[in-house]
Amino acid sequence: MEQIFLYQQWLSQRLHEYVNLSRPPKLRGREIVMTPNQYGAALMQAYFGRASLNWIAKHVGISVQLLRQWRQEPQFLLTMDWSKSIFSNAFQENLILNDYSMAQYHYIAAEISLLEESLRLTVRMPLNQRFVKLGQSLMSRHQNDLELNNYDLRLFRRLFLFFLALENHWPGSTCHCISEDFLTFARDVVWPILNQKQWVGQELKSIQQAAPISHILSKLDSKLRETFQPFISCRTK
């Protein structure tokens, strides 16, 4: 089963870009001059709340006392705030444009449920609104015997699978997105039109059994260790 953690991937990409910049980046007109560990620790704050400062400090390779000190510094706080809005936009674009397997949505949703609350809401709400509006439009067109656009059907499927997986990791978060009407419409209309032979209900159950949350956390830990290991190694030489 291929694991995919979109925030961890995004963090790794941003950290790589930061390390390889020829000059310090600017945020809101200010130059950001931090060590790679500081920059990475600021991005890791997205997990704080669901995860502890000790957990974050361990991955970054610093003491929790130093992390607490960094959390008082203006550049660190600015990077924290910037990262949330930038990731939220990147995540929405990623989910809208790309197809994933049900297993991958399981990992994606699990990681989202581990992020701090304001970021989870910033990610979820625009997608929630788009999904509901799209689903209602498609159902209305179908009821009136109007043609259903293939792009809209594929987008509906992507969002449906994400919210279906998210409901299992963040119960109640999807409101009425995965309503009985949407479930019926997806199973009886969207899946047959898109020639999706396997319905997702049983597939999701088997994935949950194969990859419980403890397994997912272990895989995320491993990915984050890989992200920060080069910087920890350089500092300890």
Side-chain angles (χ1 to χ4, degrees):
M1 185 185 299
E2 183 182 356
Q3 302 93 28
I4 182 167
F5 301 106
L6 291 182
Y7 188 80
Q8 176 272 325
Q9 287 185 356
W10 182 86
L11 185 157
S12 182
Q13 291 165 359
R14 298 291 78 75
L15 188 54
H16 177 78
E17 289 174 1
Y18 180 79
V19 170
N20 289 284
L21 285 172
S22 58
R23 57 189 303 176
K26 286 188 176 182
L27 294 179
R28 299 175 188 169
R30 294 185 183 181
E31 281 195 350
I32 302 299
V33 182
M34 295 190 288
T35 66
N37 293 83
Q38 281 179 297
Y39 188 79
L43 301 186
M44 282 286 285
Q45 298 307 298
Y47 293 110
F48 179 56
R50 309 288 275 190
S52 67
L53 288 181
N54 284 326
W55 183 85
I56 293 172
K58 178 182 175 183
H59 280 295
V60 179
I62 60 172
S63 69
V64 71
Q65 292 81 7
L66 180 57
L67 180 56
R68 287 197 176 100
Q69 177 184 322
W70 284 351
R71 281 170 54 85
Q72 305 302 313
E73 298 177 1
Q75 288 193 70
F76 193 91
L77 296 172
L78 180 61
T79 303
M80 281 173 52
D81 290 341
W82 164 84
S83 66
K84 291 176 184 179
S85 61
I86 298 299
F87 171 72
S88 176
N89 292 333
F91 181 87
Q92 292 170 50
E93 181 177 355
N94 206 327
L95 215 64
I96 286 168
L97 296 178
N98 296 296
D99 287 310
Y100 297 101
S101 68
M102 189 68 248
Q104 289 172 328
Y105 281 114
H106 183 57
Y107 280 87
I108 291 169
E111 187 191 30
I112 289 297
S113 75
L114 297 173
L115 299 179
E116 60 95 13
E117 186 176 14
S118 67
L119 181 53
R120 280 183 286 144
L121 291 172
T122 302
V123 165
R124 188 198 82 201
M125 290 179 65
L127 289 172
N128 187 329
Q129 293 168 359
R130 183 162 186 170
F131 179 48
V132 171
K133 184 177 180 180
L134 176 63
Q136 290 173 343
S137 173
L138 286 170
M139 289 176 64
S140 176
R141 292 185 66 84
H142 176 67
Q143 289 166 0
N144 289 284
D145 295 322
L146 298 174
E147 184 179 358
L148 302 181
N149 181 276
N150 184 263
Y151 173 84
D152 289 341
L153 290 169
R154 291 176 64 84
L155 177 56
F156 176 89
R157 179 180 179 274
R158 291 166 185 156
L159 296 177
F160 179 89
L161 292 178
F162 168 68
F163 280 115
L164 185 66
L166 189 62
E167 179 67 14
N168 285 271
H169 294 288
W170 187 9
S173 66
T174 54
C175 303
H176 61 285
C177 287
I178 304 298
S179 65
E180 187 61 38
D181 287 342
F182 276 19
L183 281 166
T184 302
F185 180 68
R187 184 186 62 237
D188 297 346
V189 179
V190 179
W191 258 242
I193 292 177
L194 294 178
N195 197 28
Q196 299 292 316
K197 297 179 181 178
Q198 185 175 14
W199 177 238
V200 296
Q202 191 58 42
E203 183 184 5
L204 182 58
K205 288 181 181 178
S206 65
I207 291 166
Q208 289 170 323
Q209 293 169 355
I213 191 65
S214 59
H215 171 83
I216 293 170
L217 283 171
S218 174
K219 293 297 182 181
L220 177 59
D221 276 345
S222 177
K223 294 286 187 181
L224 288 168
R225 282 196 298 270
E226 291 174 11
T227 297
F228 285 98
Q229 188 58 49
F231 308 105
I232 296 173
S233 299
C234 288
R235 197 174 65 254
T236 55
K237 286 181 180 179

